[in-house]
Amino acid sequence: MNDLSLLARRLRTLSPSCGPVRLIAVDGHAGSGKSTFAARLAAALGDAPVLHLDDVATHDSFFTWVDRLREQVLVPLERGECARYAPYDWTARGFGAPRDLEPAPVVLIEGVGAGRRALRPYLARLLWMDLPAARSWERGRRRDGPALSEFWDGWTAAEAEHFSADPSRSQADTLVRQLPVGYELLEGPGTAAGTNHSVTDRERVAPSY
């Protein structure tokens, strides 16, 4: 395959995990490339809906958003209903106009903590962007510039605390490593613990653009 079609095809064959939905998490450190990968995978899935956890977290609630996510998104999807959530505006520091999230056959949820313990019962597959924290954070800081340096100081401390208490990589079905061109998909540590299906061999896929 010259794109993410093979992975997309496998995800479509998984059993539904949240009502009629196959909920796929893309987790990893901030700056590891989750949003870009999720966008390319969503395109390979025929424009599957993507929920960005940046729309759920807030300045005051980096990782304490589970109850709100469950109420606004997971419970409606479990019922086969359209979810409705208010995305957070990081500039205005407030919630914006509500958005709908349809119970599509495959829905992606991407962001730091997408594979956390409280969400795993709802997931059909957990993908982990396999870039170490220090390199991920360096990329993120470089992307956002010095104006957000203080924010990144607070974020990295909170992220390190989160993953120390609630690690995702050890539970991942698939590790995703970004290559100079495309991605490499590896079987994740979570498959040894009897979690959902993963790739059986090392795969290299070119970018989907």
Side-chain angles (χ1 to χ4, degrees), residues 30-33 35 54 136-145 152:
S32 62
S35 297
D54 282 350
S136 297
W137 295 340
E138 180 184 5
R139 282 176 34 163
R141 286 179 181 271
R142 187 167 60 247
R143 175 195 65 204
D144 292 343
W152 269 94

Side-chain angles (χ1 to χ4, degrees), residues 139-164:
R139 282 176 34 163
R141 286 179 181 271
R142 187 167 60 247
R143 175 195 65 204
D144 292 343
L148 290 179
S149 179
E150 184 176 350
F151 171 83
W152 269 94
D153 290 344
W155 174 269
T156 54
E159 183 183 308
E161 182 179 357
H162 165 73
F163 280 133
S164 176

Side-chain angles (χ1 to χ4, degrees), residues 168-185:
S168 292
R169 188 185 186 279
S170 61
Q171 303 299 315
D173 304 296
T174 302
L175 303 180
V176 181
R177 294 179 181 171
Q178 188 171 3
L179 303 174
V181 177
Y183 297 93
E184 183 178 39
L185 307 180

Side-chain angles (χ1 to χ4, degrees), residues 1-8 40 44 185 204-209:
M1 293 290 175
N2 59 3
D3 53 26
L4 292 170
S5 297
L6 180 58
L7 176 59
R40 293 174 178 172
L185 307 180
R204 291 176 183 268
V205 290
S208 56
Y209 51 82

